[in-house]
PDB file of all heavy atoms in Angstrom:
ATOM      1  N   LYS A  94      -4.276   9.562   2.251  1.00  0.00           N
ATOM      2  CA  LYS A  94      -2.980   9.357   2.892  1.00  0.00           C
ATOM      3  C   LYS A  94      -2.431   7.974   2.544  1.00  0.00           C
ATOM      4  O   LYS A  94      -3.157   6.983   2.607  1.00  0.00           O
ATOM      5  CB  LYS A  94      -3.093   9.512   4.409  1.00  0.00           C
ATOM      6  CG  LYS A  94      -3.479  10.910   4.856  1.00  0.00           C
ATOM      7  CD  LYS A  94      -3.494  11.022   6.371  1.00  0.00           C
ATOM      8  CE  LYS A  94      -3.819  12.437   6.809  1.00  0.00           C
ATOM      9  NZ  LYS A  94      -3.810  12.600   8.286  1.00  0.00           N
ATOM     10  N   ILE A  95      -1.171   7.957   2.162  1.00  0.00           N
ATOM     11  CA  ILE A  95      -0.506   6.711   1.775  1.00  0.00           C
ATOM     12  C   ILE A  95       0.879   6.691   2.417  1.00  0.00           C
ATOM     13  O   ILE A  95       1.599   7.686   2.373  1.00  0.00           O
ATOM     14  CB  ILE A  95      -0.371   6.591   0.247  1.00  0.00           C
ATOM     15  CG1 ILE A  95      -1.744   6.703  -0.428  1.00  0.00           C
ATOM     16  CG2 ILE A  95       0.313   5.277  -0.140  1.00  0.00           C
ATOM     17  CD1 ILE A  95      -1.687   6.786  -1.941  1.00  0.00           C
ATOM     18  N   ALA A  96       1.248   5.567   3.001  1.00  0.00           N
ATOM     19  CA  ALA A  96       2.598   5.429   3.558  1.00  0.00           C
ATOM     20  C   ALA A  96       3.592   5.261   2.417  1.00  0.00           C
ATOM     21  O   ALA A  96       3.346   4.501   1.469  1.00  0.00           O
ATOM     22  CB  ALA A  96       2.666   4.234   4.504  1.00  0.00           C
ATOM     23  N   THR A  97       4.726   5.952   2.497  1.00  0.00           N
ATOM     24  CA  THR A  97       5.709   5.863   1.419  1.00  0.00           C
ATOM     25  C   THR A  97       6.272   4.447   1.279  1.00  0.00           C
ATOM     26  O   THR A  97       6.698   4.062   0.192  1.00  0.00           O
ATOM     27  CB  THR A  97       6.852   6.872   1.634  1.00  0.00           C
ATOM     28  OG1 THR A  97       7.386   6.733   2.950  1.00  0.00           O
ATOM     29  CG2 THR A  97       6.350   8.291   1.455  1.00  0.00           C
ATOM     30  N   ARG A  98       6.267   3.659   2.347  1.00  0.00           N
ATOM     31  CA  ARG A  98       6.723   2.261   2.228  1.00  0.00           C
ATOM     32  C   ARG A  98       5.783   1.452   1.331  1.00  0.00           C
ATOM     33  O   ARG A  98       6.211   0.557   0.596  1.00  0.00           O
ATOM     34  CB  ARG A  98       6.841   1.602   3.610  1.00  0.00           C
ATOM     35  CG  ARG A  98       5.529   1.504   4.364  1.00  0.00           C
ATOM     36  CD  ARG A  98       5.696   0.892   5.739  1.00  0.00           C
ATOM     37  NE  ARG A  98       4.471   0.963   6.500  1.00  0.00           N
ATOM     38  CZ  ARG A  98       3.874  -0.085   7.060  1.00  0.00           C
ATOM     39  NH1 ARG A  98       4.381  -1.291   6.943  1.00  0.00           N
ATOM     40  NH2 ARG A  98       2.767   0.066   7.757  1.00  0.00           N
ATOM     41  N   GLN A  99       4.482   1.773   1.382  1.00  0.00           N
ATOM     42  CA  GLN A  99       3.516   1.094   0.517  1.00  0.00           C
ATOM     43  C   GLN A  99       3.771   1.461  -0.948  1.00  0.00           C
ATOM     44  O   GLN A  99       3.768   0.599  -1.830  1.00  0.00           O
ATOM     45  CB  GLN A  99       2.088   1.486   0.912  1.00  0.00           C
ATOM     46  CG  GLN A  99       0.991   0.833   0.079  1.00  0.00           C
ATOM     47  CD  GLN A  99       0.895  -0.668   0.294  1.00  0.00           C
ATOM     48  OE1 GLN A  99       1.076  -1.158   1.407  1.00  0.00           O
ATOM     49  NE2 GLN A  99       0.613  -1.415  -0.766  1.00  0.00           N
ATOM     50  N   SER A 100       4.005   2.736  -1.186  1.00  0.00           N
ATOM     51  CA  SER A 100       4.300   3.203  -2.546  1.00  0.00           C
ATOM     52  C   SER A 100       5.556   2.522  -3.065  1.00  0.00           C
ATOM     53  O   SER A 100       5.626   2.125  -4.236  1.00  0.00           O
ATOM     54  CB  SER A 100       4.500   4.721  -2.547  1.00  0.00           C
ATOM     55  OG  SER A 100       3.442   5.367  -1.881  1.00  0.00           O
ATOM     56  N   TYR A 101       6.545   2.394  -2.198  1.00  0.00           N
ATOM     57  CA  TYR A 101       7.800   1.730  -2.566  1.00  0.00           C
ATOM     58  C   TYR A 101       7.549   0.295  -3.030  1.00  0.00           C
ATOM     59  O   TYR A 101       8.017  -0.120  -4.101  1.00  0.00           O
ATOM     60  CB  TYR A 101       8.749   1.746  -1.362  1.00  0.00           C
ATOM     61  CG  TYR A 101       9.920   0.797  -1.471  1.00  0.00           C
ATOM     62  CD1 TYR A 101      10.848   0.918  -2.493  1.00  0.00           C
ATOM     63  CD2 TYR A 101      10.097  -0.223  -0.531  1.00  0.00           C
ATOM     64  CE1 TYR A 101      11.930   0.045  -2.590  1.00  0.00           C
ATOM     65  CE2 TYR A 101      11.171  -1.093  -0.618  1.00  0.00           C
ATOM     66  CZ  TYR A 101      12.080  -0.962  -1.646  1.00  0.00           C
ATOM     67  OH  TYR A 101      13.148  -1.828  -1.745  1.00  0.00           O
ATOM     68  N   GLY A 102       6.815  -0.457  -2.252  1.00  0.00           N
ATOM     69  CA  GLY A 102       6.557  -1.852  -2.608  1.00  0.00           C
ATOM     70  C   GLY A 102       5.834  -2.000  -3.930  1.00  0.00           C
ATOM     71  O   GLY A 102       6.167  -2.872  -4.746  1.00  0.00           O
ATOM     72  N   GLU A 103       4.877  -1.111  -4.166  1.00  0.00           N
ATOM     73  CA  GLU A 103       4.091  -1.196  -5.397  1.00  0.00           C
ATOM     74  C   GLU A 103       4.915  -0.857  -6.629  1.00  0.00           C
ATOM     75  O   GLU A 103       4.869  -1.566  -7.638  1.00  0.00           O
ATOM     76  CB  GLU A 103       2.877  -0.269  -5.289  1.00  0.00           C
ATOM     77  CG  GLU A 103       1.851  -0.757  -4.264  1.00  0.00           C
ATOM     78  CD  GLU A 103       0.718   0.228  -4.046  1.00  0.00           C
ATOM     79  OE1 GLU A 103       0.715   1.291  -4.728  1.00  0.00           O
ATOM     80  OE2 GLU A 103      -0.160  -0.043  -3.214  1.00  0.00           O
ATOM     81  N   VAL A 104       5.672   0.245  -6.564  1.00  0.00           N
ATOM     82  CA  VAL A 104       6.439   0.659  -7.745  1.00  0.00           C
ATOM     83  C   VAL A 104       7.615  -0.280  -7.984  1.00  0.00           C
ATOM     84  O   VAL A 104       8.024  -0.503  -9.131  1.00  0.00           O
ATOM     85  CB  VAL A 104       6.906   2.120  -7.619  1.00  0.00           C
ATOM     86  CG1 VAL A 104       8.043   2.282  -6.631  1.00  0.00           C
ATOM     87  CG2 VAL A 104       7.326   2.668  -8.978  1.00  0.00           C
ATOM     88  N   LEU A 105       8.144  -0.883  -6.934  1.00  0.00           N
ATOM     89  CA  LEU A 105       9.235  -1.836  -7.096  1.00  0.00           C
ATOM     90  C   LEU A 105       8.780  -3.041  -7.924  1.00  0.00           C
ATOM     91  O   LEU A 105       9.504  -3.517  -8.807  1.00  0.00           O
ATOM     92  CB  LEU A 105       9.732  -2.287  -5.716  1.00  0.00           C
ATOM     93  CG  LEU A 105      11.021  -3.095  -5.665  1.00  0.00           C
ATOM     94  CD1 LEU A 105      12.191  -2.304  -6.231  1.00  0.00           C
ATOM     95  CD2 LEU A 105      11.320  -3.498  -4.218  1.00  0.00           C
ATOM     96  N   ALA A 106       7.576  -3.503  -7.655  1.00  0.00           N
ATOM     97  CA  ALA A 106       7.033  -4.619  -8.432  1.00  0.00           C
ATOM     98  C   ALA A 106       6.805  -4.209  -9.888  1.00  0.00           C
ATOM     99  O   ALA A 106       7.029  -4.998 -10.814  1.00  0.00           O
ATOM    100  CB  ALA A 106       5.728  -5.104  -7.801  1.00  0.00           C
ATOM    101  N   GLU A 107       6.386  -2.972 -10.094  1.00  0.00           N
ATOM    102  CA  GLU A 107       6.198  -2.478 -11.464  1.00  0.00           C
ATOM    103  C   GLU A 107       7.530  -2.398 -12.199  1.00  0.00           C
ATOM    104  O   GLU A 107       7.621  -2.758 -13.384  1.00  0.00           O
ATOM    105  CB  GLU A 107       5.536  -1.093 -11.424  1.00  0.00           C
ATOM    106  CG  GLU A 107       4.104  -1.111 -10.913  1.00  0.00           C
ATOM    107  CD  GLU A 107       3.570   0.278 -10.635  1.00  0.00           C
ATOM    108  OE1 GLU A 107       4.232   1.273 -11.040  1.00  0.00           O
ATOM    109  OE2 GLU A 107       2.498   0.392 -10.005  1.00  0.00           O
ATOM    110  N   LEU A 108       8.562  -1.946 -11.498  1.00  0.00           N
ATOM    111  CA  LEU A 108       9.893  -1.864 -12.109  1.00  0.00           C
ATOM    112  C   LEU A 108      10.427  -3.248 -12.449  1.00  0.00           C
ATOM    113  O   LEU A 108      11.138  -3.425 -13.440  1.00  0.00           O
ATOM    114  CB  LEU A 108      10.871  -1.159 -11.159  1.00  0.00           C
ATOM    115  CG  LEU A 108      10.780   0.355 -11.056  1.00  0.00           C
ATOM    116  CD1 LEU A 108      11.787   0.873 -10.045  1.00  0.00           C
ATOM    117  CD2 LEU A 108      11.022   1.006 -12.404  1.00  0.00           C
ATOM    118  N   GLY A 109      10.079  -4.219 -11.619  1.00  0.00           N
ATOM    119  CA  GLY A 109      10.520  -5.590 -11.858  1.00  0.00           C
ATOM    120  C   GLY A 109      10.033  -6.140 -13.182  1.00  0.00           C
ATOM    121  O   GLY A 109      10.709  -6.956 -13.822  1.00  0.00           O
ATOM    122  N   GLU A 110       8.859  -5.676 -13.613  1.00  0.00           N
ATOM    123  CA  GLU A 110       8.315  -6.109 -14.899  1.00  0.00           C
ATOM    124  C   GLU A 110       9.089  -5.497 -16.067  1.00  0.00           C
ATOM    125  O   GLU A 110       9.238  -6.114 -17.117  1.00  0.00           O
ATOM    126  CB  GLU A 110       6.834  -5.713 -14.993  1.00  0.00           C
ATOM    127  CG  GLU A 110       5.946  -6.461 -14.006  1.00  0.00           C
ATOM    128  CD  GLU A 110       4.503  -6.005 -14.087  1.00  0.00           C
ATOM    129  OE1 GLU A 110       4.232  -5.024 -14.821  1.00  0.00           O
ATOM    130  OE2 GLU A 110       3.650  -6.613 -13.427  1.00  0.00           O
ATOM    131  N   LYS A 111       9.594  -4.271 -15.864  1.00  0.00           N
ATOM    132  CA  LYS A 111      10.302  -3.567 -16.927  1.00  0.00           C
ATOM    133  C   LYS A 111      11.778  -3.947 -17.010  1.00  0.00           C
ATOM    134  O   LYS A 111      12.384  -3.870 -18.074  1.00  0.00           O
ATOM    135  CB  LYS A 111      10.206  -2.050 -16.695  1.00  0.00           C
ATOM    136  CG  LYS A 111       8.796  -1.500 -16.650  1.00  0.00           C
ATOM    137  CD  LYS A 111       8.835  -0.013 -16.280  1.00  0.00           C
ATOM    138  CE  LYS A 111       7.454   0.553 -16.054  1.00  0.00           C
ATOM    139  NZ  LYS A 111       7.503   1.962 -15.588  1.00  0.00           N
ATOM    140  N   ASN A 112      12.338  -4.312 -15.882  1.00  0.00           N
ATOM    141  CA  ASN A 112      13.789  -4.524 -15.818  1.00  0.00           C
ATOM    142  C   ASN A 112      14.111  -5.849 -15.122  1.00  0.00           C
ATOM    143  O   ASN A 112      13.997  -5.970 -13.906  1.00  0.00           O
ATOM    144  CB  ASN A 112      14.446  -3.352 -15.073  1.00  0.00           C
ATOM    145  CG  ASN A 112      15.966  -3.409 -15.090  1.00  0.00           C
ATOM    146  OD1 ASN A 112      16.561  -4.393 -15.521  1.00  0.00           O
ATOM    147  ND2 ASN A 112      16.598  -2.362 -14.611  1.00  0.00           N
ATOM    148  N   GLU A 113      14.515  -6.824 -15.893  1.00  0.00           N
ATOM    149  CA  GLU A 113      14.825  -8.144 -15.343  1.00  0.00           C
ATOM    150  C   GLU A 113      16.119  -8.150 -14.539  1.00  0.00           C
ATOM    151  O   GLU A 113      16.433  -9.126 -13.853  1.00  0.00           O
ATOM    152  CB  GLU A 113      14.927  -9.177 -16.477  1.00  0.00           C
ATOM    153  CG  GLU A 113      13.609  -9.420 -17.186  1.00  0.00           C
ATOM    154  CD  GLU A 113      13.742 -10.464 -18.280  1.00  0.00           C
ATOM    155  OE1 GLU A 113      14.864 -10.944 -18.513  1.00  0.00           O
ATOM    156  OE2 GLU A 113      12.703 -10.791 -18.895  1.00  0.00           O
ATOM    157  N   ASN A 114      16.858  -7.054 -14.597  1.00  0.00           N
ATOM    158  CA  ASN A 114      18.122  -6.941 -13.882  1.00  0.00           C
ATOM    159  C   ASN A 114      17.919  -6.624 -12.394  1.00  0.00           C
ATOM    160  O   ASN A 114      18.840  -6.761 -11.588  1.00  0.00           O
ATOM    161  CB  ASN A 114      18.974  -5.834 -14.507  1.00  0.00           C
ATOM    162  CG  ASN A 114      20.433  -6.202 -14.580  1.00  0.00           C
ATOM    163  OD1 ASN A 114      20.781  -7.362 -14.756  1.00  0.00           O
ATOM    164  ND2 ASN A 114      21.292  -5.214 -14.417  1.00  0.00           N
ATOM    165  N   ILE A 115      16.708  -6.192 -12.048  1.00  0.00           N
ATOM    166  CA  ILE A 115      16.427  -5.819 -10.663  1.00  0.00           C
ATOM    167  C   ILE A 115      16.191  -7.060  -9.815  1.00  0.00           C
ATOM    168  O   ILE A 115      15.397  -7.934 -10.165  1.00  0.00           O
ATOM    169  CB  ILE A 115      15.210  -4.886 -10.584  1.00  0.00           C
ATOM    170  CG1 ILE A 115      15.570  -3.515 -11.170  1.00  0.00           C
ATOM    171  CG2 ILE A 115      14.716  -4.731  -9.145  1.00  0.00           C
ATOM    172  CD1 ILE A 115      14.403  -2.549 -11.240  1.00  0.00           C
ATOM    173  N   VAL A 116      16.897  -7.114  -8.678  1.00  0.00           N
ATOM    174  CA  VAL A 116      16.672  -8.144  -7.669  1.00  0.00           C
ATOM    175  C   VAL A 116      16.405  -7.447  -6.345  1.00  0.00           C
ATOM    176  O   VAL A 116      16.820  -6.311  -6.134  1.00  0.00           O
ATOM    177  CB  VAL A 116      17.872  -9.114  -7.538  1.00  0.00           C
ATOM    178  CG1 VAL A 116      18.049  -9.936  -8.803  1.00  0.00           C
ATOM    179  CG2 VAL A 116      19.154  -8.352  -7.209  1.00  0.00           C
ATOM    180  N   VAL A 117      15.704  -8.121  -5.454  1.00  0.00           N
ATOM    181  CA  VAL A 117      15.306  -7.504  -4.187  1.00  0.00           C
ATOM    182  C   VAL A 117      15.710  -8.402  -3.027  1.00  0.00           C
ATOM    183  O   VAL A 117      15.549  -9.627  -3.084  1.00  0.00           O
ATOM    184  CB  VAL A 117      13.780  -7.234  -4.163  1.00  0.00           C
ATOM    185  CG1 VAL A 117      13.341  -6.715  -2.800  1.00  0.00           C
ATOM    186  CG2 VAL A 117      13.403  -6.235  -5.256  1.00  0.00           C
ATOM    187  N   LEU A 118      16.245  -7.777  -1.988  1.00  0.00           N
ATOM    188  CA  LEU A 118      16.643  -8.500  -0.781  1.00  0.00           C
ATOM    189  C   LEU A 118      15.929  -7.879   0.420  1.00  0.00           C
ATOM    190  O   LEU A 118      15.706  -6.666   0.468  1.00  0.00           O
ATOM    191  CB  LEU A 118      18.152  -8.417  -0.553  1.00  0.00           C
ATOM    192  CG  LEU A 118      19.084  -8.930  -1.648  1.00  0.00           C
ATOM    193  CD1 LEU A 118      19.379  -7.839  -2.677  1.00  0.00           C
ATOM    194  CD2 LEU A 118      20.384  -9.434  -1.051  1.00  0.00           C
ATOM    195  N   ASP A 119      15.588  -8.725   1.388  1.00  0.00           N
ATOM    196  CA  ASP A 119      14.970  -8.232   2.610  1.00  0.00           C
ATOM    197  C   ASP A 119      15.486  -9.037   3.796  1.00  0.00           C
ATOM    198  O   ASP A 119      16.000 -10.144   3.622  1.00  0.00           O
ATOM    199  CB  ASP A 119      13.439  -8.317   2.530  1.00  0.00           C
ATOM    200  CG  ASP A 119      12.764  -7.276   3.403  1.00  0.00           C
ATOM    201  OD1 ASP A 119      12.912  -7.353   4.645  1.00  0.00           O
ATOM    202  OD2 ASP A 119      12.079  -6.393   2.869  1.00  0.00           O
ATOM    203  N   ALA A 120      15.333  -8.450   4.994  1.00  0.00           N
ATOM    204  CA  ALA A 120      15.863  -9.087   6.205  1.00  0.00           C
ATOM    205  C   ALA A 120      14.721  -9.440   7.154  1.00  0.00           C
ATOM    206  O   ALA A 120      14.595  -8.872   8.245  1.00  0.00           O
ATOM    207  CB  ALA A 120      16.876  -8.169   6.876  1.00  0.00           C
ATOM    208  N   ASP A 121      13.855 -10.339   6.698  1.00  0.00           N
ATOM    209  CA  ASP A 121      12.773 -10.888   7.514  1.00  0.00           C
ATOM    210  C   ASP A 121      11.684  -9.868   7.851  1.00  0.00           C
ATOM    211  O   ASP A 121      10.978 -10.015   8.841  1.00  0.00           O
ATOM    212  CB  ASP A 121      13.341 -11.487   8.813  1.00  0.00           C
ATOM    213  CG  ASP A 121      12.370 -12.479   9.458  1.00  0.00           C
ATOM    214  OD1 ASP A 121      11.741 -13.256   8.728  1.00  0.00           O
ATOM    215  OD2 ASP A 121      12.248 -12.461  10.702  1.00  0.00           O
ATOM    216  N   LEU A 122      11.558  -8.822   7.017  1.00  0.00           N
ATOM    217  CA  LEU A 122      10.547  -7.798   7.291  1.00  0.00           C
ATOM    218  C   LEU A 122       9.769  -7.430   6.029  1.00  0.00           C
ATOM    219  O   LEU A 122       9.269  -6.309   5.904  1.00  0.00           O
ATOM    220  CB  LEU A 122      11.216  -6.543   7.872  1.00  0.00           C
ATOM    221  CG  LEU A 122      11.724  -6.661   9.308  1.00  0.00           C
ATOM    222  CD1 LEU A 122      12.628  -5.487   9.667  1.00  0.00           C
ATOM    223  CD2 LEU A 122      10.567  -6.753  10.295  1.00  0.00           C
ATOM    224  N   SER A 123       9.670  -8.340   5.100  1.00  0.00           N
ATOM    225  CA  SER A 123       9.098  -8.000   3.793  1.00  0.00           C
ATOM    226  C   SER A 123       7.628  -7.593   3.866  1.00  0.00           C
ATOM    227  O   SER A 123       7.162  -6.799   3.035  1.00  0.00           O
ATOM    228  CB  SER A 123       9.273  -9.160   2.809  1.00  0.00           C
ATOM    229  OG  SER A 123       8.587 -10.303   3.261  1.00  0.00           O
ATOM    230  N   GLU A 124       6.882  -8.113   4.844  1.00  0.00           N
ATOM    231  CA  GLU A 124       5.489  -7.696   4.982  1.00  0.00           C
ATOM    232  C   GLU A 124       5.408  -6.237   5.425  1.00  0.00           C
ATOM    233  O   GLU A 124       4.494  -5.501   5.037  1.00  0.00           O
ATOM    234  CB  GLU A 124       4.764  -8.589   5.997  1.00  0.00           C
ATOM    235  CG  GLU A 124       4.558 -10.021   5.538  1.00  0.00           C
ATOM    236  CD  GLU A 124       3.575 -10.142   4.379  1.00  0.00           C
ATOM    237  OE1 GLU A 124       2.658  -9.292   4.275  1.00  0.00           O
ATOM    238  OE2 GLU A 124       3.722 -11.084   3.575  1.00  0.00           O
ATOM    239  N   ALA A 125       6.362  -5.810   6.232  1.00  0.00           N
ATOM    240  CA  ALA A 125       6.380  -4.429   6.733  1.00  0.00           C
ATOM    241  C   ALA A 125       7.001  -3.467   5.727  1.00  0.00           C
ATOM    242  O   ALA A 125       6.536  -2.332   5.567  1.00  0.00           O
ATOM    243  CB  ALA A 125       7.129  -4.359   8.055  1.00  0.00           C
ATOM    244  N   THR A 126       8.060  -3.887   5.052  1.00  0.00           N
ATOM    245  CA  THR A 126       8.711  -3.007   4.078  1.00  0.00           C
ATOM    246  C   THR A 126       7.987  -2.997   2.743  1.00  0.00           C
ATOM    247  O   THR A 126       8.294  -2.187   1.866  1.00  0.00           O
ATOM    248  CB  THR A 126      10.162  -3.443   3.828  1.00  0.00           C
ATOM    249  OG1 THR A 126      10.162  -4.753   3.235  1.00  0.00           O
ATOM    250  CG2 THR A 126      10.977  -3.462   5.116  1.00  0.00           C
ATOM    251  N   LYS A 127       7.075  -3.939   2.565  1.00  0.00           N
ATOM    252  CA  LYS A 127       6.258  -4.103   1.357  1.00  0.00           C
ATOM    253  C   LYS A 127       7.030  -4.666   0.157  1.00  0.00           C
ATOM    254  O   LYS A 127       6.522  -4.646  -0.966  1.00  0.00           O
ATOM    255  CB  LYS A 127       5.556  -2.787   0.965  1.00  0.00           C
ATOM    256  CG  LYS A 127       4.648  -2.244   2.062  1.00  0.00           C
ATOM    257  CD  LYS A 127       3.601  -3.254   2.509  1.00  0.00           C
ATOM    258  CE  LYS A 127       2.769  -2.740   3.668  1.00  0.00           C
ATOM    259  NZ  LYS A 127       1.801  -3.759   4.147  1.00  0.00           N
ATOM    260  N   THR A 128       8.227  -5.197   0.392  1.00  0.00           N
ATOM    261  CA  THR A 128       8.910  -5.908  -0.686  1.00  0.00           C
ATOM    262  C   THR A 128       8.211  -7.236  -0.977  1.00  0.00           C
ATOM    263  O   THR A 128       8.496  -7.884  -1.985  1.00  0.00           O
ATOM    264  CB  THR A 128      10.383  -6.181  -0.344  1.00  0.00           C
ATOM    265  OG1 THR A 128      10.455  -6.966   0.848  1.00  0.00           O
ATOM    266  CG2 THR A 128      11.163  -4.883  -0.162  1.00  0.00           C
ATOM    267  N   CYS A 129       7.282  -7.632  -0.112  1.00  0.00           N
ATOM    268  CA  CYS A 129       6.499  -8.848  -0.335  1.00  0.00           C
ATOM    269  C   CYS A 129       5.718  -8.779  -1.646  1.00  0.00           C
ATOM    270  O   CYS A 129       5.421  -9.806  -2.262  1.00  0.00           O
ATOM    271  CB  CYS A 129       5.564  -9.106   0.835  1.00  0.00           C
ATOM    272  SG  CYS A 129       4.406  -7.741   1.162  1.00  0.00           S
ATOM    273  N   ILE A 130       5.388  -7.566  -2.081  1.00  0.00           N
ATOM    274  CA  ILE A 130       4.656  -7.401  -3.342  1.00  0.00           C
ATOM    275  C   ILE A 130       5.533  -7.864  -4.502  1.00  0.00           C
ATOM    276  O   ILE A 130       5.066  -8.584  -5.401  1.00  0.00           O
ATOM    277  CB  ILE A 130       4.228  -5.925  -3.528  1.00  0.00           C
ATOM    278  CG1 ILE A 130       3.367  -5.469  -2.344  1.00  0.00           C
ATOM    279  CG2 ILE A 130       3.475  -5.743  -4.841  1.00  0.00           C
ATOM    280  CD1 ILE A 130       3.075  -3.963  -2.326  1.00  0.00           C
ATOM    281  N   PHE A 131       6.801  -7.469  -4.475  1.00  0.00           N
ATOM    282  CA  PHE A 131       7.764  -7.919  -5.482  1.00  0.00           C
ATOM    283  C   PHE A 131       7.979  -9.423  -5.369  1.00  0.00           C
ATOM    284  O   PHE A 131       8.030 -10.142  -6.386  1.00  0.00           O
ATOM    285  CB  PHE A 131       9.088  -7.176  -5.292  1.00  0.00           C
ATOM    286  CG  PHE A 131      10.130  -7.483  -6.335  1.00  0.00           C
ATOM    287  CD1 PHE A 131      10.311  -6.648  -7.426  1.00  0.00           C
ATOM    288  CD2 PHE A 131      10.944  -8.611  -6.229  1.00  0.00           C
ATOM    289  CE1 PHE A 131      11.274  -6.925  -8.396  1.00  0.00           C
ATOM    290  CE2 PHE A 131      11.914  -8.894  -7.180  1.00  0.00           C
ATOM    291  CZ  PHE A 131      12.079  -8.054  -8.270  1.00  0.00           C
ATOM    292  N   ALA A 132       8.100  -9.922  -4.152  1.00  0.00           N
ATOM    293  CA  ALA A 132       8.386 -11.340  -3.919  1.00  0.00           C
ATOM    294  C   ALA A 132       7.305 -12.245  -4.505  1.00  0.00           C
ATOM    295  O   ALA A 132       7.608 -13.322  -5.042  1.00  0.00           O
ATOM    296  CB  ALA A 132       8.533 -11.599  -2.423  1.00  0.00           C
ATOM    297  N   LYS A 133       6.064 -11.820  -4.410  1.00  0.00           N
ATOM    298  CA  LYS A 133       4.959 -12.627  -4.943  1.00  0.00           C
ATOM    299  C   LYS A 133       4.992 -12.685  -6.468  1.00  0.00           C
ATOM    300  O   LYS A 133       4.651 -13.704  -7.076  1.00  0.00           O
ATOM    301  CB  LYS A 133       3.624 -12.062  -4.465  1.00  0.00           C
ATOM    302  CG  LYS A 133       3.370 -12.315  -2.985  1.00  0.00           C
ATOM    303  CD  LYS A 133       2.132 -11.584  -2.488  1.00  0.00           C
ATOM    304  CE  LYS A 133       1.968 -11.763  -0.984  1.00  0.00           C
ATOM    305  NZ  LYS A 133       0.857 -10.957  -0.439  1.00  0.00           N
ATOM    306  N   LYS A 134       5.433 -11.594  -7.089  1.00  0.00           N
ATOM    307  CA  LYS A 134       5.489 -11.534  -8.549  1.00  0.00           C
ATOM    308  C   LYS A 134       6.729 -12.210  -9.110  1.00  0.00           C
ATOM    309  O   LYS A 134       6.685 -12.863 -10.154  1.00  0.00           O
ATOM    310  CB  LYS A 134       5.457 -10.072  -9.014  1.00  0.00           C
ATOM    311  CG  LYS A 134       4.084  -9.478  -9.142  1.00  0.00           C
ATOM    312  CD  LYS A 134       4.170  -8.145  -9.892  1.00  0.00           C
ATOM    313  CE  LYS A 134       2.776  -7.656 -10.242  1.00  0.00           C
ATOM    314  NZ  LYS A 134       2.821  -6.418 -11.055  1.00  0.00           N
ATOM    315  N   PHE A 135       7.855 -12.056  -8.391  1.00  0.00           N
ATOM    316  CA  PHE A 135       9.146 -12.533  -8.901  1.00  0.00           C
ATOM    317  C   PHE A 135       9.901 -13.301  -7.814  1.00  0.00           C
ATOM    318  O   PHE A 135      10.941 -12.851  -7.325  1.00  0.00           O
ATOM    319  CB  PHE A 135       9.992 -11.349  -9.395  1.00  0.00           C
ATOM    320  CG  PHE A 135       9.277 -10.431 -10.347  1.00  0.00           C
ATOM    321  CD1 PHE A 135       8.801  -9.195  -9.914  1.00  0.00           C
ATOM    322  CD2 PHE A 135       9.064 -10.799 -11.662  1.00  0.00           C
ATOM    323  CE1 PHE A 135       8.121  -8.352 -10.781  1.00  0.00           C
ATOM    324  CE2 PHE A 135       8.393  -9.953 -12.539  1.00  0.00           C
ATOM    325  CZ  PHE A 135       7.923  -8.727 -12.100  1.00  0.00           C
ATOM    326  N   PRO A 136       9.386 -14.455  -7.417  1.00  0.00           N
ATOM    327  CA  PRO A 136      10.019 -15.198  -6.320  1.00  0.00           C
ATOM    328  C   PRO A 136      11.454 -15.620  -6.619  1.00  0.00           C
ATOM    329  O   PRO A 136      12.267 -15.750  -5.699  1.00  0.00           O
ATOM    330  CB  PRO A 136       9.103 -16.425  -6.153  1.00  0.00           C
ATOM    331  CG  PRO A 136       8.346 -16.531  -7.442  1.00  0.00           C
ATOM    332  CD  PRO A 136       8.191 -15.146  -7.934  1.00  0.00           C
TER     333      PRO A 136
END
């Protein structure tokens, strides 16, 4: 079992490597939405 929010965070970071045009925004919930994975790779 995997939460879809976890899958989102992981694949978003992978997409960030392929596409420099992608930027990510969050509203103080990046640990919960898992955008923190992208943030660590592409601050």
